[in-house]
Amino acid sequence: MARSFEPDPERDLVLDTSAMKALAHPLRMRLLSLLRAHGPATATQLATRVGVNTGATSYHLRQLAQHGFVEQFEPDDLPAGKRSAGRKQRWWRMAVDEIHMTGLEFLENADTREAAGFLLREFQSDRTRRLANWFATATQWPVQWQKASSDMDGHLELSATQARALADEMRALVDKYRALKPGRGARPVDVQYAVFPADTGSIPS
């Protein structure tokens, strides 16, 4: 049976109260989503995408950096297609692979309930937007990518221990493919999954 997930301290960020409150801001969530989906960018490029001035974008990126979400890096590290001539610009990228909220204690605490609820709603809304965008643009992609895509859900009858094991095995599978060298024609691929008890009209004591 798979053991419980243990974050990689080098590439995973587990939110504490301070980091969670810092992230609970609509613009910061949007900036983080853009960097995760599209890769490195300058504050100017991000400002154009979100429709605010560069100064505001730079400020919020610095706030995210203070809590380990993003980081600045030298342009020499950029992929060739993203390099540009001219004055030196400050480039930003994700500092971690994944962001985690451990447990539901933030929702139980009156001091963190509002921020936690906002983050959870935004995380789910962002997932929904990404999947909806795929459905809206799927026919524009090559046939091989259309056939490679998958959307499904499943309903199982499991104990809490079995459900945790299922979630851990799914996590391990994603990690396995993350560690592979990208194949020819590789593109960013969105993987979404959730494991939770279904609403049957009654909550066990």
Side-chain angles (χ1 to χ4, degrees):
M1 184 174 291
R3 62 187 179 89
S4 296
F5 159 67
E6 295 181 5
D8 178 350
E10 295 295 326
R11 297 306 307 171
D12 294 340
L13 177 63
V14 179
L15 296 184
D16 57 18
T17 299
S18 178
M20 183 193 64
K21 289 184 175 181
L23 184 57
H25 185 286
L27 181 55
R28 294 175 191 175
M29 291 285 292
R30 178 64 175 147
L31 294 172
L32 209 62
S33 178
L34 288 171
L35 289 174
R36 292 185 69 176
H38 303 290
T42 67
T44 300
Q45 292 170 340
L46 291 169
T48 300
R49 295 290 300 272
V50 298
V52 301
N53 64 66
T54 301
T57 302
S58 296
Y59 169 78
H60 287 292
L61 286 167
R62 291 194 299 271
Q63 296 302 305
L64 289 171
Q66 285 184 13
H67 294 277
F69 295 105
V70 302
E71 62 186 5
Q72 289 188 33
F73 69 109
E74 294 298 323
D76 289 345
D77 296 336
L78 277 176
K82 291 203 172 189
R83 296 175 188 167
S84 60
R87 65 183 178 85
K88 186 174 181 180
Q89 295 178 305
R90 294 184 176 181
W91 285 83
W92 296 87
R93 65 185 174 192
M94 292 293 299
V96 293
D97 289 330
E98 294 190 5
I99 299 169
H100 302 275
M101 290 178 64
T102 57
L104 298 177
E105 60 270 18
F106 289 137
L107 289 175
E108 296 176 340
N109 186 331
D111 184 50
T112 56
R113 185 178 301 129
E114 183 176 355
F118 171 80
L119 283 182
L120 291 171
R121 290 191 299 272
E122 284 299 303
F123 283 146
Q124 184 55 46
S125 294
D126 188 51
R127 289 180 183 176
T128 301
R129 284 192 294 268
R130 298 197 309 266
L131 185 58
N133 181 68
W134 162 248
F135 289 140
T137 61
T139 57
Q140 301 172 26
W141 282 76
V143 173
Q144 61 266 36
W145 276 107
Q146 295 181 36
K147 291 182 177 180
S149 70
S150 177
D151 173 46
M152 63 164 289
D153 57 31
H155 298 276
L156 307 174
E157 188 166 347
L158 304 173
S159 68
T161 300
Q162 291 171 324
R164 180 68 260 171
L166 172 63
D168 290 340
E169 289 179 15
M170 293 171 72
R171 160 72 191 221
L173 185 60
V174 171
D175 286 345
K176 171 188 172 182
Y177 278 87
R178 178 181 287 120
L180 295 177
K181 181 179 179 180
R184 184 177 181 182
R187 298 291 300 267
V189 170
D190 202 340
V191 179
Q192 301 186 15
Y193 65 91
V195 177
F196 54 91
D199 180 11
T200 60
S202 61
I203 300 177
S205 57

